Amino acid sequence: MTIKSSSGKSYKILAIIPARGGSKGIKNKNIKKVGDIPLIGHTARLLSSIKFIDKSIVSTDSKKIKKISENYGVSVPFLRPTNLSGDNVPDIPVLQHGLNECERIYKTKFDVILMLQPTSPMRSKSIILNAIKKLVEEKLDSVWSVSKVDSKFHPLKILKITNRGYLDFYLSEGANIINRQMLDNTFQRNGLVYAFKRKSIIEGKILPKKSGYLIVDKFIINIDNYKELKDADEFFKCS
């Protein structure tokens, strides 16, 4: 299967799973067992079964993650350098490095770059395909999968504790909210899929001007702490 636009243009697609060895919240998070397989294995196994993606790779600095990823069918053609493996390294330089290395190694110019975070393992083939189709058919620069935020957690209802130890609205406009009907819809990224045109990655734009969205209306766990890791493990063992 090849992804084509309505005009018949074919798109070369590169999927990158960013999975460094270190993690502050959960030690060795990407190789923790979730439903009896390593966390990285869920995304790697799914990608290895998808035919419309031309190349799928894991970007990691860890030889252990490299071995596990390859066991689940995804290539690790290089190890990520130390300067791109710290806690404070943003996504864009990691994607730029991955794109440049893959185009050099595979001698291919990729049109669409996917970022699939292993910490959101509850993705499906259809979610990835729909994001790519939306990107291509609507001529967007990026598409993020998002989930709707419950109005109870709207930014205008969030509170903070000030430097003096008092409770206050996080945003001053929150003092004017009387009921939830006054609130607009808000969304949060869920990490299932990020799709980018090549130009966006080259220019270093994680959320370019023409960014679309794919609303996912289903139960999702994005793993950042031990409770979420336990919940995800139970979900996969029961599913």
Side-chain angles (χ1 to χ4, degrees):
M1 178 180 177
T2 302
I3 300 294
K4 293 185 178 182
S5 67
S6 56
S7 64
K9 172 181 167 58
S10 297
Y11 288 80
K12 288 284 186 181
I13 300 170
L14 170 67
I16 299 176
I17 309 173
R20 66 188 181 90
S23 175
K24 275 188 174 181
I26 304 173
K27 188 176 180 180
N28 299 319
K29 176 170 60 178
N30 288 313
I31 58 176
K32 290 290 187 185
K33 291 288 184 72
V34 174
D36 296 325
I37 74 169
L39 182 56
I40 185 69
H42 287 274
T43 302
R45 185 169 63 176
L46 176 63
L47 283 181
S48 67
S49 71
I50 296 178
K51 305 303 180 187
F52 56 80
I53 296 176
D54 296 279
K55 287 291 178 182
S56 297
I57 67 107
V58 171
S59 171
T60 185
D61 58 329
S62 165
K63 291 182 179 179
K64 194 166 188 177
I65 291 177
K66 170 182 167 68
K67 182 177 180 180
I68 293 171
S69 300
E70 291 173 340
N71 287 343
Y72 282 93
V74 172
S75 300
V76 186
F78 56 83
L79 285 177
R80 196 194 304 178
T82 304
N83 66 307
L84 293 178
S85 301
D87 292 323
N88 299 317
V89 177
D91 294 322
I92 272 293
V94 173
L95 295 176
Q96 289 174 329
H97 175 263
L99 173 61
N100 289 335
E101 285 296 293
C102 286
E103 290 190 338
R104 178 184 64 82
I105 293 167
Y106 299 118
K107 296 178 171 54
T108 300
K109 183 177 179 180
F110 294 98
D111 305 294
V112 174
I113 295 86
L114 306 176
M115 178 171 70
L116 304 170
Q117 296 169 325
T119 47
S120 294
M122 298 167 70
R123 61 176 56 86
S124 64
K125 177 179 177 180
S126 62
I127 287 172
I128 297 173
L129 179 58
N130 289 340
I132 297 171
K133 284 184 174 180
K134 190 176 183 75
L135 183 79
V136 169
E137 292 171 2
E138 298 185 18
K139 299 180 180 179
L140 298 168
D141 295 323
S142 79
V143 172
W144 293 22
S145 62
V146 297
S147 300
K148 188 176 178 180
V149 175
D150 190 301
S151 62
K152 293 191 293 293
F153 306 109
H154 191 282
L156 292 178
K157 298 192 78 172
I158 298 298
L159 304 174
K160 66 179 179 180
I161 297 175
T162 67
N163 292 335
R164 298 180 64 187
Y166 301 132
L167 197 63
D168 195 3
F169 290 102
Y170 188 78
L171 299 173
S172 59
E173 303 96 303
N176 301 319
I177 299 301
I178 299 171
N179 55 55
R180 60 187 174 86
Q181 285 72 28
M182 297 175 65
L183 301 171
D184 54 1
N185 290 327
T186 57
F187 301 87
Q188 62 184 11
R189 65 184 85 182
N190 55 38
L192 293 177
V193 60
Y194 299 83
F196 301 95
K197 290 285 182 62
R198 182 180 186 275
K199 181 181 178 182
S200 298
I201 299 300
I202 296 298
E203 293 180 352
K205 296 177 180 177
I206 194 72
L207 190 64
K209 186 174 182 180
K210 291 174 62 179
S211 291
Y213 55 89
L214 182 69
I215 299 175
V216 180
D217 185 19
K218 58 174 275 189
F219 176 67
I220 293 168
I221 299 174
N222 194 334
I223 301 169
D224 286 320
N225 55 52
Y226 281 100
K227 181 184 182 304
E228 290 163 345
L229 182 69
K230 181 180 178 182
D231 290 344
D233 182 50
E234 292 175 354
F235 174 86
F236 279 103
K237 283 181 177 176
C238 294
S239 61

